[in-house]
């Protein structure tokens, strides 16, 4: 594989994290360059949006893999990173670039002994360009996993989920649950396999909490404050199958919803809430 020095920098790094969300063109420039720099990356087109933007999946594996048959035969765990289905929720598409580069030539490279990563650069290219929640036809595409009325989610389900059958899906969002830095939710639909529903809560989420604590922050369950019967507390989201992390649980894989709120405030490890300086928030 390529050495770290040969790998591309992100637009955020070039802009010193001062210019807001990465637009589509420089986002894809990073992915094309990563694909060209490393034989471990196979960037494959999935569909084209109404405004003519290509949607891709990047297959990251060592040894290199370009088709789902070889991935399944490998016996490795297949993980799908699906960022920013809501176009205004930008942090996942930024983070997935850094994860992909670290898998190819950084600290995460050893994971490829056991894991194949499928990374979508951006699920909502048209909405992402204008920071709009929906795609160009006005669909909230994280409600489209049953009816498949958008070409983006149709491609994701039929060409990635159904063919590569990922074991774990990470549905990346940005918002809600302030002031926690990271919030998460597994499939809560009672029709999903009980062991699959329990696994993230018993194994994955405690590790996320510990990793965030090591950075002196606190993580918590999604979604946020609710009041029921006059009593204020913290509640989950609804559990319809049309949402990504719920749908995956109903097709016998582990679906994880990850949310990163706006970084105006953060809960520190000791439970205090700290304001984040304006100039540091996007970073």
């Amino acid at each position: 594989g390529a050495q770290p020095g040969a790998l591309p920098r992100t637009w955020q790094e070039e802009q010193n994290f001062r210019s807001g969300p990465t637009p589509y063109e420089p986002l894809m420039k990073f992915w094309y360059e990563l694909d060209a720099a490393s034989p471990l990356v196979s960037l494959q087109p999935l569909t084209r949006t109404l405004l003519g933007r290509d949607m891709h999946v990047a297959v990251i594996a060592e040894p290199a893999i370009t088709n789902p048959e070889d991935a399944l035969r490998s016996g490795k765990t297949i993980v799908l990173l699906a960022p920013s289905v809501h176009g205004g929720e930008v942090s996942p598409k930024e983070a997935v670039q850094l994860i992909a580069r670290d898998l190819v030539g950084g600290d995460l490279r050893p994971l490829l002994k056991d894991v194949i990563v499928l990374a979508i650069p951006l699920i909502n290219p048209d909405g992402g360009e204008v920071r709009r929640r929906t795609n160009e036809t006005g669909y909230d595409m994280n409600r489209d996993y049953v009816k498949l009325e958008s070409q983006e989610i149709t491609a994701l389900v039929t060409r990635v989920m159904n063919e590569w059958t990922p074991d774990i899906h990470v549905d990346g969002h940005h918002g809600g649950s302030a002031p926690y830095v990271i919030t998460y939710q597994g499939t809560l639909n009672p029709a999903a396999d009980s062991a699959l529903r329990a696994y993230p809560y018993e194994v994955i989420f405690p590790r996320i909490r510990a990793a965030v604590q090591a950075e002196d922050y606190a993580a918590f369950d999604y979604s946020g404050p609710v009041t029921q019967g006059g009593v204020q507390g913290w509640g989950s989201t609804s559990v319809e199958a049309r949402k990504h992390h719920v749908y995956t649980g109903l097709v016998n894989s582990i679906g994880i919803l990850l949310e990163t709120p706006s970084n105006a405030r953060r809960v520190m490890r000791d439970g205090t809430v700290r304001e984040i300086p304006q100039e540091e928030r996007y970073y």
Side-chain angles (χ1 to χ4, degrees), residues 123-251:
I123 295 179
N124 187 357
D126 291 347
E129 199 67 356
V130 291
R131 298 187 71 174
R132 182 186 61 222
R133 181 176 178 87
T134 63
N135 73 348
E136 187 62 19
T137 54
Y139 281 118
D140 178 343
M141 292 192 294
N142 200 32
R143 306 293 185 270
D144 192 34
Y145 283 84
V146 173
K147 295 179 77 175
L148 300 182
E149 294 182 304
S150 64
Q151 69 267 39
E152 295 93 337
I153 301 304
T154 299
L156 185 65
V157 169
T158 61
R159 300 197 56 200
V160 180
M161 293 186 187
N162 291 355
E163 292 187 9
W164 294 82
T165 62
D167 300 291
I168 298 176
H169 299 243
V170 182
D171 175 24
H173 293 256
H174 174 158
S177 304
Y180 289 98
V181 178
I182 297 284
T183 53
Y184 37 72
Q185 182 175 298
T187 301
L188 297 177
N189 191 300
D193 180 88
S194 60
L196 282 179
R197 281 192 288 126
Y199 188 84
Y201 287 93
E202 293 174 352
V203 179
I204 298 174
F205 297 157
R207 295 188 182 188
I208 293 175
R209 275 199 303 275
V212 173
Q213 282 184 335
E215 300 291 334
D216 197 22
Y217 297 119
F220 205 68
D221 290 280
Y222 190 71
S223 74
V226 294
T227 301
Q228 291 185 352
V231 178
Q232 190 170 24
W234 194 275
S236 68
T237 60
S238 55
V239 295
E240 306 100 324
R242 59 187 182 151
K243 297 178 181 179
H244 186 169
H245 78 289
V246 184
Y247 176 85
T248 54
L250 296 172
V251 294

Side-chain angles (χ1 to χ4, degrees), residues 7-71:
L7 299 178
R9 299 178 79 212
T10 68
W11 189 77
Q12 292 296 342
E13 291 165 329
E14 298 285 357
Q15 301 291 320
N16 197 28
F17 297 88
R18 293 293 185 270
S19 299
T22 303
Y24 175 81
E25 292 294 339
L27 178 75
M28 291 314 304
K29 178 175 181 284
F30 170 87
W31 285 100
Y32 293 137
E33 290 179 354
L34 189 69
D35 182 31
S38 174
L40 307 185
V41 181
S42 172
L43 189 65
Q44 304 178 11
L46 293 174
T47 190
R48 182 165 287 181
T49 69
L50 281 177
L51 295 184
R53 296 186 176 97
D54 290 319
M55 177 177 162
H56 299 76
V57 60
V59 184
I60 305 174
E62 185 176 20
I65 284 179
T66 59
N67 63 79
E69 293 80 12
D70 287 343

Side-chain angles (χ1 to χ4, degrees), residues 88-105:
E89 302 182 16
V90 297
S91 61
K93 74 176 179 183
E94 311 291 6
V96 167
Q97 297 173 78
L98 303 177
I99 292 167
R101 190 176 61 193
D102 277 354
L103 284 166
V104 169

